Amino acid sequence: MSERYLPYAADAEQSLSPDELQVLQRQFERELPRPRVQTKFNYAWGLIKSTSKREQRLGVNLMHEIYNEHAERKRECLYYLGIGYYKMGEYANARVYIEQLLSLEPGNAQARSLRELIDEKVSRDGMIGLAVSGGALALVGVIAAALLKKRSK
């Protein structure tokens, strides 16, 4: 599958409607115990696009199975594993898969776009974390000063 068929990372924020996801789920379940790889991929893709962390996790698990069992789909799986981990807030894992894809396709615009989103999120979350940590540290300092002041009286 060529690069132009993969959505830009921002498109991954759009989820499927419950009816659309149900169509993919029914097709997948009809083909059990051995669903076709395309059916499994479509269902995993739909789950990853979900707003539900539980569904995203299931989608990532299914995508991992495809990644491990079907060499011809590894490239697509790398991208959607990156998306799945990004949506679940597991940015380090998302970055691992996107970097693997970029090592194969350095010019992949979708992967570069997702890497930028990951970097922005990590940077923003890191700044929030620093602010929270700094606030907590200041609070500990105020409490310690108050306790020391009490002891010295």
Side-chain angles (χ1 to χ4, degrees), residues 48 53 56-57 59-61 63-64 77-98 114 118 121:
I48 286 170
K53 294 277 190 238
Q56 292 166 357
R57 175 72 54 203
V60 164
N61 290 343
M63 199 63 73
H64 270 291
C77 290
L78 287 170
Y79 180 73
Y80 285 107
L81 285 166
I83 293 257
Y85 282 115
Y86 170 79
K87 289 188 72 164
M88 291 187 298
E90 296 182 24
Y91 306 121
N93 286 332
R95 181 115 183 156
V96 165
Y97 289 99
I98 291 309
L114 182 55
I118 293 165
K121 197 70 140 163

Side-chain angles (χ1 to χ4, degrees), residues 34-151:
R34 295 187 191 271
R36 290 176 296 144
V37 66
Q38 187 62 49
T39 300
K40 190 175 191 177
F41 183 88
N42 292 346
Y43 184 44
W45 167 82
L47 289 165
I48 286 170
K49 289 177 65 76
S50 172
T51 57
S52 160
K53 294 277 190 238
R54 185 185 63 74
E55 289 178 347
Q56 292 166 357
R57 175 72 54 203
L58 177 57
V60 164
N61 290 343
L62 291 172
M63 199 63 73
H64 270 291
E65 289 176 11
I66 298 166
Y67 177 83
N68 291 327
E69 297 168 5
H70 301 279
E72 72 280 5
R73 301 303 290 262
K74 284 190 187 294
R75 182 214 162 280
E76 294 168 293
C77 290
L78 287 170
Y79 180 73
Y80 285 107
L81 285 166
I83 293 257
Y85 282 115
Y86 170 79
K87 289 188 72 164
M88 291 187 298
E90 296 182 24
Y91 306 121
N93 286 332
R95 181 115 183 156
V96 165
Y97 289 99
I98 291 309
E99 290 300 335
Q100 284 181 31
L101 178 53
L102 286 169
S103 73
L104 298 171
E105 298 178 11
N108 185 307
Q110 293 80 16
R112 287 191 320 226
S113 174
L114 182 55
R115 182 175 59 188
E116 286 176 28
L117 284 176
I118 293 165
D119 290 346
E120 288 170 13
K121 197 70 140 163
V122 167
S123 177
R124 190 181 73 198
D125 288 358
M127 295 304 273
I128 291 169
L130 284 174
V132 169
S133 296
L137 193 55
L139 181 60
V140 167
V142 168
I143 292 170
L147 289 173
L148 287 173
K149 190 174 183 182
K150 264 187 171 180
R151 282 188 183 172

